[in-house]
Amino acid sequence: MDLFVDKLLPALLGLLAGIVGSLIAPWVNWRIEKKRSKQQSRKELIDNARKFLASKEWVQTEFNSTVTYSEIRPHLSQETINMIEKGELIIRRGRGGNVIHSAVLDDLAQKEKEWGIR
């Protein structure tokens, strides 16, 4: 019994811990990398959309037919989508400039906050 407790039990526990560790560690690392990659993709989506909105390519009447719009559409509020696609403008007091442009930027800022990007 002393041989088992002194020699075999620690060896078996070490082997078991090694097996469990070798199975769990890669999975944990994979989950971390997956989350990091998802956050990076989200950040790039928002950055690219902002660059487009700031560029000379931005034309309100053609925005709904752009690649940028199709990429960000699933992340826009229904109110903003209705403004773009149906022309249902909602004027917000205190905001100047292009209403749709401002609404898209507001939705992007909200997504940044929701996703914890900045």
Side-chain angles (χ1 to χ4, degrees):
M1 185 72 173
D2 287 334
L3 175 65
F4 178 75
V5 173
D6 290 340
K7 304 278 182 185
L8 287 175
L9 186 59
L12 290 174
L13 289 176
L15 177 64
L16 183 62
I19 290 170
V20 170
S22 68
L23 294 174
I24 291 176
W27 180 80
V28 169
N29 191 37
W30 172 77
R31 293 280 298 185
I32 291 169
E33 286 302 316
K34 182 179 174 185
K35 184 174 181 176
R36 187 176 294 143
S37 176
K38 188 175 185 178
Q39 283 296 89
Q40 183 61 32
S41 295
R42 287 173 166 178
K43 183 180 182 319
E44 288 173 7
L45 175 72
I46 295 211
D47 288 346
N48 291 338
R50 280 207 172 110
K51 285 177 189 171
F52 180 82
L53 291 169
S55 74
K56 294 183 192 276
E57 295 176 46
W58 159 258
V59 178
Q60 178 178 319
T61 57
E62 298 171 7
F63 181 54
N64 64 347
S65 63
T66 64
V67 172
T68 301
Y69 179 67
S70 66
E71 289 175 343
I72 65 170
R73 187 182 187 280
H75 309 291
L76 296 176
S77 68
Q78 191 59 50
E79 180 181 287
T80 300
I81 292 170
N82 289 343
M83 281 186 200
I84 295 167
E85 295 177 1
K86 297 177 181 177
E88 296 176 2
L89 294 181
I90 297 169
I91 308 298
R92 295 183 181 120
R93 295 184 70 178
R95 296 292 299 251
N98 187 303
V99 176
I100 291 176
H101 190 269
S102 296
V104 173
L105 287 174
D106 289 347
D107 283 2
L108 292 176
Q110 179 61 35
K111 281 298 171 185
E112 271 183 328
K113 185 177 178 181
E114 182 181 315
W115 291 339
I117 292 176
R118 296 187 205 258

